[in-house]
Amino acid sequence: MTDRSGIFAGDDPFAIARAWLAEAESTEPNDPNAIALATVDGGGLPNARMVLLKEIEADGFLFYTNYGSAKAREIDVAGKAAFVMHWKSLRRQIRVRGLTSREEGRMADEYFASRSLQSRLGAWASRQSQPLASRGRLMAEVARVTAVHGVAPERPPFWGGFRLKPLEIEFWADGAFRLHDRFQWRRAAIEEEWTVTRLSP
């Protein structure tokens, strides 16, 4: 047993994460769903970048990207990733590590359709992470794909979601004199039960 109470209370880490995110939505100046996503390349060199988390599911975290991007290529090879969500306004963070899989079905189609037309056309135009001669070349490609796909572009086959199913989730909250509160939820496999441990700050 751990002495969890208040903001750490509950038997479902995903419900706790959703509650923290909902609170951050009213306190953060912008993008409360931003995460620092960490991957590793084939040589073992880490990589990190900010992306937007789009859903906290019953047993996973979902975000979307271009499958030709560096992060997608690294995720596909490793099958693992990690991220941290940090909210300065709440002085809290959530750290997540786990296994990844693609989301290329109905959910990806529905999310893509919900994006603005400009964002959907931009997804078609951008060869994410690839060399680009100039911004003018990019805008010319936007004009070209607009002529081809019109006002109702479908989701590109090279664009979709990734689902991260965690093996570890850590909830961190700032404490006085740097005596922070940290609770780690951990399981050896996706189908196993969680073990919750209080960690030293």
Side-chain angles (χ1 to χ4, degrees):
M1 295 290 291
T2 59
D3 56 339
R4 290 183 297 115
S5 61
I7 62 174
F8 296 99
D11 297 323
D12 179 358
F14 300 98
I16 298 172
R18 281 191 291 270
W20 284 26
L21 177 56
E23 191 173 351
E25 287 171 349
S26 64
T27 60
E28 286 291 295
N30 50 53
D31 295 335
N33 59 327
I35 61 175
L37 176 69
T39 58
V40 63
D41 69 15
L45 189 65
N47 228 333
R49 77 290 286 163
M50 303 304 296
V51 302
L52 297 180
L53 182 70
K54 287 304 178 181
E55 189 167 352
I56 302 176
E57 301 177 309
D59 197 32
F61 298 87
L62 188 62
F63 60 92
Y64 293 89
T65 190
N66 185 310
Y67 288 141
S69 66
K71 60 181 170 294
R73 296 195 306 269
E74 291 171 359
I75 289 172
D76 280 336
V77 171
K80 306 178 184 72
F83 71 78
V84 60
M85 304 181 76
H86 175 247
W87 302 291
K88 293 186 72 173
S89 61
L90 298 179
R91 304 182 74 86
R92 297 182 212 164
Q93 64 180 339
I94 301 175
R95 296 175 58 237
V96 178
R97 304 170 69 206
L99 310 179
T100 55
S101 61
R102 287 190 178 196
E103 170 52 65
E104 302 178 271
R106 177 185 54 80
M107 290 183 67
D109 291 337
E110 290 178 354
Y111 172 67
F112 187 78
S114 75
R115 289 160 58 98
S116 70
L117 175 60
Q118 292 80 4
S119 293
R120 282 177 284 159
L121 292 169
W124 274 100
S126 175
R127 297 297 179 258
Q128 195 171 7
S129 301
Q130 300 304 309
L132 179 64
S134 67
R135 184 166 184 85
R137 183 71 60 86
L138 175 62
M139 300 314 294
E141 182 63 11
V142 171
R144 188 191 70 81
V145 299
T146 300
V148 171
H149 298 285
V151 297
E154 295 184 354
R155 178 175 63 87
F158 52 81
W159 192 99
F162 278 107
R163 177 174 289 104
L164 193 160
K165 290 198 170 185
L167 297 175
E168 293 181 12
I169 306 176
E170 180 188 321
F171 296 92
W172 180 103
D174 180 68
F177 309 109
R178 298 187 182 274
L179 299 178
H180 313 305
D181 288 308
R182 298 173 62 188
F183 289 94
Q184 181 192 72
W185 295 64
R186 188 171 186 176
R187 55 188 178 181
I190 298 300
E191 64 275 7
E192 293 189 9
E193 296 295 318
W194 292 102
T195 298
V196 186
T197 304
R198 177 186 272 273
L199 302 178
S200 295

